[in-house]
mmCIF file with all atom_site columns, all heavy atoms in Angstrom:
data_model
loop_
_atom_site.group_PDB
_atom_site.id
_atom_site.type_symbol
_atom_site.label_atom_id
_atom_site.label_alt_id
_atom_site.label_comp_id
_atom_site.label_asym_id
_atom_site.label_entity_id
_atom_site.label_seq_id
_atom_site.pdbx_PDB_ins_code
_atom_site.Cartn_x
_atom_site.Cartn_y
_atom_site.Cartn_z
_atom_site.occupancy
_atom_site.B_iso_or_equiv
_atom_site.pdbx_formal_charge
_atom_site.auth_seq_id
_atom_site.auth_comp_id
_atom_site.auth_asym_id
_atom_site.auth_atom_id
_atom_site.pdbx_PDB_model_num
ATOM 1   N N   . ILE A 1 302 ? 16.968 -12.717 6.631  1.00 0.00 ? 302 ILE A N   1
ATOM 2   C CA  . ILE A 1 302 ? 16.599 -13.932 5.948  1.00 0.00 ? 302 ILE A CA  1
ATOM 3   C C   . ILE A 1 302 ? 17.819 -14.593 5.283  1.00 0.00 ? 302 ILE A C   1
ATOM 4   O O   . ILE A 1 302 ? 17.985 -15.811 5.322  1.00 0.00 ? 302 ILE A O   1
ATOM 5   C CB  . ILE A 1 302 ? 15.436 -13.709 5.008  1.00 0.00 ? 302 ILE A CB  1
ATOM 6   C CG1 . ILE A 1 302 ? 14.154 -13.369 5.794  1.00 0.00 ? 302 ILE A CG1 1
ATOM 7   C CG2 . ILE A 1 302 ? 15.195 -14.959 4.174  1.00 0.00 ? 302 ILE A CG2 1
ATOM 8   C CD1 . ILE A 1 302 ? 12.965 -13.047 4.964  1.00 0.00 ? 302 ILE A CD1 1
ATOM 9   N N   . TYR A 1 303 ? 18.562 -13.720 4.624  1.00 0.00 ? 303 TYR A N   1
ATOM 10  C CA  . TYR A 1 303 ? 19.796 -14.263 3.948  1.00 0.00 ? 303 TYR A CA  1
ATOM 11  C C   . TYR A 1 303 ? 20.704 -14.989 4.889  1.00 0.00 ? 303 TYR A C   1
ATOM 12  O O   . TYR A 1 303 ? 21.164 -16.108 4.576  1.00 0.00 ? 303 TYR A O   1
ATOM 13  C CB  . TYR A 1 303 ? 20.513 -13.095 3.256  1.00 0.00 ? 303 TYR A CB  1
ATOM 14  C CG  . TYR A 1 303 ? 21.662 -13.490 2.393  1.00 0.00 ? 303 TYR A CG  1
ATOM 15  C CD1 . TYR A 1 303 ? 21.480 -14.022 1.026  1.00 0.00 ? 303 TYR A CD1 1
ATOM 16  C CD2 . TYR A 1 303 ? 22.997 -13.441 2.916  1.00 0.00 ? 303 TYR A CD2 1
ATOM 17  C CE1 . TYR A 1 303 ? 22.540 -14.376 0.320  1.00 0.00 ? 303 TYR A CE1 1
ATOM 18  C CE2 . TYR A 1 303 ? 23.999 -13.808 2.124  1.00 0.00 ? 303 TYR A CE2 1
ATOM 19  C CZ  . TYR A 1 303 ? 23.853 -14.285 0.809  1.00 0.00 ? 303 TYR A CZ  1
ATOM 20  O OH  . TYR A 1 303 ? 24.946 -14.752 0.085  1.00 0.00 ? 303 TYR A OH  1
ATOM 21  N N   . GLN A 1 304 ? 20.968 -14.357 6.038  1.00 0.00 ? 304 GLN A N   1
ATOM 22  C CA  . GLN A 1 304 ? 21.864 -15.031 7.006  1.00 0.00 ? 304 GLN A CA  1
ATOM 23  C C   . GLN A 1 304 ? 21.219 -16.264 7.550  1.00 0.00 ? 304 GLN A C   1
ATOM 24  O O   . GLN A 1 304 ? 21.911 -17.270 7.866  1.00 0.00 ? 304 GLN A O   1
ATOM 25  C CB  . GLN A 1 304 ? 22.247 -14.028 8.086  1.00 0.00 ? 304 GLN A CB  1
ATOM 26  C CG  . GLN A 1 304 ? 23.037 -12.848 7.623  1.00 0.00 ? 304 GLN A CG  1
ATOM 27  C CD  . GLN A 1 304 ? 24.309 -13.250 6.978  1.00 0.00 ? 304 GLN A CD  1
ATOM 28  O OE1 . GLN A 1 304 ? 24.963 -14.227 7.342  1.00 0.00 ? 304 GLN A OE1 1
ATOM 29  N NE2 . GLN A 1 304 ? 24.758 -12.533 6.003  1.00 0.00 ? 304 GLN A NE2 1
ATOM 30  N N   . GLU A 1 305 ? 19.867 -16.250 7.801  1.00 0.00 ? 305 GLU A N   1
ATOM 31  C CA  . GLU A 1 305 ? 19.247 -17.389 8.412  1.00 0.00 ? 305 GLU A CA  1
ATOM 32  C C   . GLU A 1 305 ? 19.226 -18.542 7.444  1.00 0.00 ? 305 GLU A C   1
ATOM 33  O O   . GLU A 1 305 ? 19.433 -19.681 7.872  1.00 0.00 ? 305 GLU A O   1
ATOM 34  C CB  . GLU A 1 305 ? 17.782 -17.017 8.737  1.00 0.00 ? 305 GLU A CB  1
ATOM 35  C CG  . GLU A 1 305 ? 17.688 -16.062 9.892  1.00 0.00 ? 305 GLU A CG  1
ATOM 36  C CD  . GLU A 1 305 ? 16.258 -15.454 10.093 1.00 0.00 ? 305 GLU A CD  1
ATOM 37  O OE1 . GLU A 1 305 ? 15.397 -15.874 9.390  1.00 0.00 ? 305 GLU A OE1 1
ATOM 38  O OE2 . GLU A 1 305 ? 16.088 -14.575 10.915 1.00 0.00 ? 305 GLU A OE2 1
ATOM 39  N N   . ARG A 1 306 ? 19.022 -18.335 6.155  1.00 0.00 ? 306 ARG A N   1
ATOM 40  C CA  . ARG A 1 306 ? 19.087 -19.434 5.171  1.00 0.00 ? 306 ARG A CA  1
ATOM 41  C C   . ARG A 1 306 ? 20.425 -19.970 5.058  1.00 0.00 ? 306 ARG A C   1
ATOM 42  O O   . ARG A 1 306 ? 20.675 -21.145 4.857  1.00 0.00 ? 306 ARG A O   1
ATOM 43  C CB  . ARG A 1 306 ? 18.514 -18.955 3.862  1.00 0.00 ? 306 ARG A CB  1
ATOM 44  C CG  . ARG A 1 306 ? 17.010 -18.655 3.841  1.00 0.00 ? 306 ARG A CG  1
ATOM 45  C CD  . ARG A 1 306 ? 16.485 -18.272 2.530  1.00 0.00 ? 306 ARG A CD  1
ATOM 46  N NE  . ARG A 1 306 ? 15.060 -17.992 2.625  1.00 0.00 ? 306 ARG A NE  1
ATOM 47  C CZ  . ARG A 1 306 ? 14.280 -17.504 1.668  1.00 0.00 ? 306 ARG A CZ  1
ATOM 48  N NH1 . ARG A 1 306 ? 14.853 -17.239 0.456  1.00 0.00 ? 306 ARG A NH1 1
ATOM 49  N NH2 . ARG A 1 306 ? 13.042 -17.208 1.776  1.00 0.00 ? 306 ARG A NH2 1
ATOM 50  N N   . LYS A 1 307 ? 21.454 -19.181 5.095  1.00 0.00 ? 307 LYS A N   1
ATOM 51  C CA  . LYS A 1 307 ? 22.797 -19.651 5.124  1.00 0.00 ? 307 LYS A CA  1
ATOM 52  C C   . LYS A 1 307 ? 23.077 -20.546 6.257  1.00 0.00 ? 307 LYS A C   1
ATOM 53  O O   . LYS A 1 307 ? 23.751 -21.556 6.157  1.00 0.00 ? 307 LYS A O   1
ATOM 54  C CB  . LYS A 1 307 ? 23.838 -18.471 5.016  1.00 0.00 ? 307 LYS A CB  1
ATOM 55  C CG  . LYS A 1 307 ? 23.911 -17.819 3.690  1.00 0.00 ? 307 LYS A CG  1
ATOM 56  C CD  . LYS A 1 307 ? 25.011 -16.706 3.672  1.00 0.00 ? 307 LYS A CD  1
ATOM 57  C CE  . LYS A 1 307 ? 26.405 -17.343 3.737  1.00 0.00 ? 307 LYS A CE  1
ATOM 58  N NZ  . LYS A 1 307 ? 27.481 -16.326 3.679  1.00 0.00 ? 307 LYS A NZ  1
ATOM 59  N N   . GLN A 1 308 ? 22.606 -20.153 7.464  1.00 0.00 ? 308 GLN A N   1
ATOM 60  C CA  . GLN A 1 308 ? 22.871 -20.873 8.616  1.00 0.00 ? 308 GLN A CA  1
ATOM 61  C C   . GLN A 1 308 ? 22.145 -22.194 8.526  1.00 0.00 ? 308 GLN A C   1
ATOM 62  O O   . GLN A 1 308 ? 22.614 -23.263 9.015  1.00 0.00 ? 308 GLN A O   1
ATOM 63  C CB  . GLN A 1 308 ? 22.350 -20.129 9.880  1.00 0.00 ? 308 GLN A CB  1
ATOM 64  C CG  . GLN A 1 308 ? 22.529 -20.855 11.198 1.00 0.00 ? 308 GLN A CG  1
ATOM 65  C CD  . GLN A 1 308 ? 23.980 -21.179 11.506 1.00 0.00 ? 308 GLN A CD  1
ATOM 66  O OE1 . GLN A 1 308 ? 24.921 -20.518 10.999 1.00 0.00 ? 308 GLN A OE1 1
ATOM 67  N NE2 . GLN A 1 308 ? 24.289 -22.157 12.340 1.00 0.00 ? 308 GLN A NE2 1
ATOM 68  N N   . LEU A 1 309 ? 20.938 -22.298 7.962  1.00 0.00 ? 309 LEU A N   1
ATOM 69  C CA  . LEU A 1 309 ? 20.177 -23.524 7.773  1.00 0.00 ? 309 LEU A CA  1
ATOM 70  C C   . LEU A 1 309 ? 21.036 -24.488 6.988  1.00 0.00 ? 309 LEU A C   1
ATOM 71  O O   . LEU A 1 309 ? 21.012 -25.742 7.267  1.00 0.00 ? 309 LEU A O   1
ATOM 72  C CB  . LEU A 1 309 ? 18.822 -23.274 7.113  1.00 0.00 ? 309 LEU A CB  1
ATOM 73  C CG  . LEU A 1 309 ? 17.729 -22.630 7.937  1.00 0.00 ? 309 LEU A CG  1
ATOM 74  C CD1 . LEU A 1 309 ? 16.573 -22.143 7.055  1.00 0.00 ? 309 LEU A CD1 1
ATOM 75  C CD2 . LEU A 1 309 ? 17.210 -23.557 8.998  1.00 0.00 ? 309 LEU A CD2 1
ATOM 76  N N   . GLY A 1 310 ? 21.654 -24.030 5.915  1.00 0.00 ? 310 GLY A N   1
ATOM 77  C CA  . GLY A 1 310 ? 22.584 -24.906 5.169  1.00 0.00 ? 310 GLY A CA  1
ATOM 78  C C   . GLY A 1 310 ? 23.822 -25.315 5.911  1.00 0.00 ? 310 GLY A C   1
ATOM 79  O O   . GLY A 1 310 ? 24.260 -26.505 5.854  1.00 0.00 ? 310 GLY A O   1
ATOM 80  N N   . ARG A 1 311 ? 24.401 -24.379 6.513  1.00 0.00 ? 311 ARG A N   1
ATOM 81  C CA  . ARG A 1 311 ? 25.717 -24.563 7.227  1.00 0.00 ? 311 ARG A CA  1
ATOM 82  C C   . ARG A 1 311 ? 25.649 -25.606 8.281  1.00 0.00 ? 311 ARG A C   1
ATOM 83  O O   . ARG A 1 311 ? 26.551 -26.437 8.454  1.00 0.00 ? 311 ARG A O   1
ATOM 84  C CB  . ARG A 1 311 ? 26.225 -23.251 7.819  1.00 0.00 ? 311 ARG A CB  1
ATOM 85  C CG  . ARG A 1 311 ? 27.571 -23.327 8.513  1.00 0.00 ? 311 ARG A CG  1
ATOM 86  C CD  . ARG A 1 311 ? 27.981 -21.971 9.058  1.00 0.00 ? 311 ARG A CD  1
ATOM 87  N NE  . ARG A 1 311 ? 28.062 -20.943 8.076  1.00 0.00 ? 311 ARG A NE  1
ATOM 88  C CZ  . ARG A 1 311 ? 27.216 -19.915 7.984  1.00 0.00 ? 311 ARG A CZ  1
ATOM 89  N NH1 . ARG A 1 311 ? 26.301 -19.733 8.853  1.00 0.00 ? 311 ARG A NH1 1
ATOM 90  N NH2 . ARG A 1 311 ? 27.412 -18.934 6.998  1.00 0.00 ? 311 ARG A NH2 1
ATOM 91  N N   . GLN A 1 312 ? 24.533 -25.607 9.088  1.00 0.00 ? 312 GLN A N   1
ATOM 92  C CA  . GLN A 1 312 ? 24.530 -26.477 10.235 1.00 0.00 ? 312 GLN A CA  1
ATOM 93  C C   . GLN A 1 312 ? 24.079 -27.905 9.857  1.00 0.00 ? 312 GLN A C   1
ATOM 94  O O   . GLN A 1 312 ? 23.923 -28.834 10.765 1.00 0.00 ? 312 GLN A O   1
ATOM 95  C CB  . GLN A 1 312 ? 23.509 -25.891 11.298 1.00 0.00 ? 312 GLN A CB  1
ATOM 96  C CG  . GLN A 1 312 ? 22.118 -25.749 10.889 1.00 0.00 ? 312 GLN A CG  1
ATOM 97  C CD  . GLN A 1 312 ? 21.361 -24.835 11.815 1.00 0.00 ? 312 GLN A CD  1
ATOM 98  O OE1 . GLN A 1 312 ? 21.925 -23.998 12.549 1.00 0.00 ? 312 GLN A OE1 1
ATOM 99  N NE2 . GLN A 1 312 ? 20.044 -24.947 11.841 1.00 0.00 ? 312 GLN A NE2 1
ATOM 100 N N   . LEU A 1 313 ? 23.918 -28.232 8.592  1.00 0.00 ? 313 LEU A N   1
ATOM 101 C CA  . LEU A 1 313 ? 23.663 -29.594 8.158  1.00 0.00 ? 313 LEU A CA  1
ATOM 102 C C   . LEU A 1 313 ? 24.991 -30.304 7.784  1.00 0.00 ? 313 LEU A C   1
ATOM 103 O O   . LEU A 1 313 ? 24.916 -31.467 7.370  1.00 0.00 ? 313 LEU A O   1
ATOM 104 C CB  . LEU A 1 313 ? 22.773 -29.616 6.899  1.00 0.00 ? 313 LEU A CB  1
ATOM 105 C CG  . LEU A 1 313 ? 21.365 -29.182 7.176  1.00 0.00 ? 313 LEU A CG  1
ATOM 106 C CD1 . LEU A 1 313 ? 20.612 -28.783 5.875  1.00 0.00 ? 313 LEU A CD1 1
ATOM 107 C CD2 . LEU A 1 313 ? 20.573 -30.321 7.889  1.00 0.00 ? 313 LEU A CD2 1
ATOM 108 N N   . THR A 1 314 ? 26.112 -29.688 7.942  1.00 0.00 ? 314 THR A N   1
ATOM 109 C CA  . THR A 1 314 ? 27.427 -30.239 7.586  1.00 0.00 ? 314 THR A CA  1
ATOM 110 C C   . THR A 1 314 ? 27.655 -31.632 8.189  1.00 0.00 ? 314 THR A C   1
ATOM 111 O O   . THR A 1 314 ? 27.940 -32.568 7.437  1.00 0.00 ? 314 THR A O   1
ATOM 112 C CB  . THR A 1 314 ? 28.510 -29.324 8.065  1.00 0.00 ? 314 THR A CB  1
ATOM 113 O OG1 . THR A 1 314 ? 28.400 -28.014 7.466  1.00 0.00 ? 314 THR A OG1 1
ATOM 114 C CG2 . THR A 1 314 ? 29.927 -29.852 7.582  1.00 0.00 ? 314 THR A CG2 1
ATOM 115 N N   . ASN A 1 315 ? 27.427 -31.898 9.460  1.00 0.00 ? 315 ASN A N   1
ATOM 116 C CA  . ASN A 1 315 ? 27.701 -33.108 10.075 1.00 0.00 ? 315 ASN A CA  1
ATOM 117 C C   . ASN A 1 315 ? 26.836 -34.236 9.553  1.00 0.00 ? 315 ASN A C   1
ATOM 118 O O   . ASN A 1 315 ? 27.209 -35.344 9.354  1.00 0.00 ? 315 ASN A O   1
ATOM 119 C CB  . ASN A 1 315 ? 27.563 -33.027 11.608 1.00 0.00 ? 315 ASN A CB  1
ATOM 120 C CG  . ASN A 1 315 ? 28.676 -32.168 12.267 1.00 0.00 ? 315 ASN A CG  1
ATOM 121 O OD1 . ASN A 1 315 ? 29.798 -32.152 11.626 1.00 0.00 ? 315 ASN A OD1 1
ATOM 122 N ND2 . ASN A 1 315 ? 28.463 -31.611 13.360 1.00 0.00 ? 315 ASN A ND2 1
ATOM 123 N N   . SER A 1 316 ? 25.515 -33.888 9.361  1.00 0.00 ? 316 SER A N   1
ATOM 124 C CA  . SER A 1 316 ? 24.625 -34.923 8.844  1.00 0.00 ? 316 SER A CA  1
ATOM 125 C C   . SER A 1 316 ? 24.970 -35.342 7.426  1.00 0.00 ? 316 SER A C   1
ATOM 126 O O   . SER A 1 316 ? 24.890 -36.564 7.057  1.00 0.00 ? 316 SER A O   1
ATOM 127 C CB  . SER A 1 316 ? 23.162 -34.367 8.886  1.00 0.00 ? 316 SER A CB  1
ATOM 128 O OG  . SER A 1 316 ? 22.743 -34.106 10.189 1.00 0.00 ? 316 SER A OG  1
ATOM 129 N N   . ILE A 1 317 ? 25.362 -34.416 6.648  1.00 0.00 ? 317 ILE A N   1
ATOM 130 C CA  . ILE A 1 317 ? 25.738 -34.692 5.243  1.00 0.00 ? 317 ILE A CA  1
ATOM 131 C C   . ILE A 1 317 ? 27.051 -35.547 5.221  1.00 0.00 ? 317 ILE A C   1
ATOM 132 O O   . ILE A 1 317 ? 27.220 -36.478 4.465  1.00 0.00 ? 317 ILE A O   1
ATOM 133 C CB  . ILE A 1 317 ? 25.904 -33.453 4.430  1.00 0.00 ? 317 ILE A CB  1
ATOM 134 C CG1 . ILE A 1 317 ? 24.558 -32.676 4.354  1.00 0.00 ? 317 ILE A CG1 1
ATOM 135 C CG2 . ILE A 1 317 ? 26.402 -33.725 3.022  1.00 0.00 ? 317 ILE A CG2 1
ATOM 136 C CD1 . ILE A 1 317 ? 24.637 -31.297 3.738  1.00 0.00 ? 317 ILE A CD1 1
ATOM 137 N N   . LEU A 1 318 ? 27.959 -35.142 6.111  1.00 0.00 ? 318 LEU A N   1
ATOM 138 C CA  . LEU A 1 318 ? 29.275 -35.889 6.154  1.00 0.00 ? 318 LEU A CA  1
ATOM 139 C C   . LEU A 1 318 ? 28.967 -37.399 6.450  1.00 0.00 ? 318 LEU A C   1
ATOM 140 O O   . LEU A 1 318 ? 29.533 -38.347 5.796  1.00 0.00 ? 318 LEU A O   1
ATOM 141 C CB  . LEU A 1 318 ? 30.118 -35.364 7.327  1.00 0.00 ? 318 LEU A CB  1
ATOM 142 C CG  . LEU A 1 318 ? 30.979 -34.146 6.966  1.00 0.00 ? 318 LEU A CG  1
ATOM 143 C CD1 . LEU A 1 318 ? 31.569 -33.550 8.232  1.00 0.00 ? 318 LEU A CD1 1
ATOM 144 C CD2 . LEU A 1 318 ? 32.090 -34.473 5.916  1.00 0.00 ? 318 LEU A CD2 1
ATOM 145 N N   . LYS A 1 319 ? 28.020 -37.660 7.350  1.00 0.00 ? 319 LYS A N   1
ATOM 146 C CA  . LYS A 1 319 ? 27.706 -39.051 7.671  1.00 0.00 ? 319 LYS A CA  1
ATOM 147 C C   . LYS A 1 319 ? 27.109 -39.789 6.404  1.00 0.00 ? 319 LYS A C   1
ATOM 148 O O   . LYS A 1 319 ? 27.337 -40.906 6.164  1.00 0.00 ? 319 LYS A O   1
ATOM 149 C CB  . LYS A 1 319 ? 26.764 -39.065 8.823  1.00 0.00 ? 319 LYS A CB  1
ATOM 150 C CG  . LYS A 1 319 ? 27.277 -38.686 10.139 1.00 0.00 ? 319 LYS A CG  1
ATOM 151 C CD  . LYS A 1 319 ? 26.263 -38.679 11.256 1.00 0.00 ? 319 LYS A CD  1
ATOM 152 C CE  . LYS A 1 319 ? 26.828 -38.153 12.575 1.00 0.00 ? 319 LYS A CE  1
ATOM 153 N NZ  . LYS A 1 319 ? 25.771 -38.139 13.605 1.00 0.00 ? 319 LYS A NZ  1
ATOM 154 N N   . ALA A 1 320 ? 26.309 -39.016 5.710  1.00 0.00 ? 320 ALA A N   1
ATOM 155 C CA  . ALA A 1 320 ? 25.570 -39.600 4.556  1.00 0.00 ? 320 ALA A CA  1
ATOM 156 C C   . ALA A 1 320 ? 26.576 -39.981 3.406  1.00 0.00 ? 320 ALA A C   1
ATOM 157 O O   . ALA A 1 320 ? 26.364 -40.950 2.652  1.00 0.00 ? 320 ALA A O   1
ATOM 158 C CB  . ALA A 1 320 ? 24.563 -38.641 4.009  1.00 0.00 ? 320 ALA A CB  1
ATOM 159 N N   . VAL A 1 321 ? 27.745 -39.241 3.252  1.00 0.00 ? 321 VAL A N   1
ATOM 160 C CA  . VAL A 1 321 ? 28.701 -39.502 2.217  1.00 0.00 ? 321 VAL A CA  1
ATOM 161 C C   . VAL A 1 321 ? 29.897 -40.255 2.793  1.00 0.00 ? 321 VAL A C   1
ATOM 162 O O   . VAL A 1 321 ? 30.967 -40.389 2.161  1.00 0.00 ? 321 VAL A O   1
ATOM 163 C CB  . VAL A 1 321 ? 29.127 -38.249 1.513  1.00 0.00 ? 321 VAL A CB  1
ATOM 164 C CG1 . VAL A 1 321 ? 27.982 -37.531 0.855  1.00 0.00 ? 321 VAL A CG1 1
ATOM 165 C CG2 . VAL A 1 321 ? 29.878 -37.349 2.471  1.00 0.00 ? 321 VAL A CG2 1
ATOM 166 N N   . ASP A 1 322 ? 29.739 -40.757 4.069  1.00 0.00 ? 322 ASP A N   1
ATOM 167 C CA  . ASP A 1 322 ? 30.785 -41.527 4.719  1.00 0.00 ? 322 ASP A CA  1
ATOM 168 C C   . ASP A 1 322 ? 32.098 -40.752 4.757  1.00 0.00 ? 322 ASP A C   1
ATOM 169 O O   . ASP A 1 322 ? 33.216 -41.269 4.598  1.00 0.00 ? 322 ASP A O   1
ATOM 170 C CB  . ASP A 1 322 ? 30.982 -42.890 3.955  1.00 0.00 ? 322 ASP A CB  1
ATOM 171 C CG  . ASP A 1 322 ? 31.698 -43.887 4.873  1.00 0.00 ? 322 ASP A CG  1
ATOM 172 O OD1 . ASP A 1 322 ? 31.665 -43.746 6.122  1.00 0.00 ? 322 ASP A OD1 1
ATOM 173 O OD2 . ASP A 1 322 ? 32.386 -44.854 4.359  1.00 0.00 ? 322 ASP A OD2 1
ATOM 174 N N   . TYR A 1 323 ? 32.010 -39.465 4.925  1.00 0.00 ? 323 TYR A N   1
ATOM 175 C CA  . TYR A 1 323 ? 33.088 -38.504 5.138  1.00 0.00 ? 323 TYR A CA  1
ATOM 176 C C   . TYR A 1 323 ? 34.031 -38.479 3.884  1.00 0.00 ? 323 TYR A C   1
ATOM 177 O O   . TYR A 1 323 ? 35.176 -37.972 4.051  1.00 0.00 ? 323 TYR A O   1
ATOM 178 C CB  . TYR A 1 323 ? 33.929 -38.901 6.399  1.00 0.00 ? 323 TYR A CB  1
ATOM 179 C CG  . TYR A 1 323 ? 33.129 -38.697 7.678  1.00 0.00 ? 323 TYR A CG  1
ATOM 180 C CD1 . TYR A 1 323 ? 32.231 -39.709 8.162  1.00 0.00 ? 323 TYR A CD1 1
ATOM 181 C CD2 . TYR A 1 323 ? 33.119 -37.522 8.370  1.00 0.00 ? 323 TYR A CD2 1
ATOM 182 C CE1 . TYR A 1 323 ? 31.443 -39.533 9.314  1.00 0.00 ? 323 TYR A CE1 1
ATOM 183 C CE2 . TYR A 1 323 ? 32.405 -37.348 9.511  1.00 0.00 ? 323 TYR A CE2 1
ATOM 184 C CZ  . TYR A 1 323 ? 31.601 -38.342 9.993  1.00 0.00 ? 323 TYR A CZ  1
ATOM 185 O OH  . TYR A 1 323 ? 30.793 -38.159 11.121 1.00 0.00 ? 323 TYR A OH  1
#
Side-chain angles (χ1 to χ4, degrees):
I302 292 175
Y303 184 80
Q304 295 301 327
E305 289 167 9
R306 289 183 183 175
K307 284 185 71 176
Q308 181 61 24
L309 285 168
R311 183 181 298 111
Q312 60 196 22
L313 288 164
T314 303
N315 289 334
S316 297
I317 299 170
L318 279 168
K319 294 176 184 176
V321 298
D322 198 24
Y323 295 85

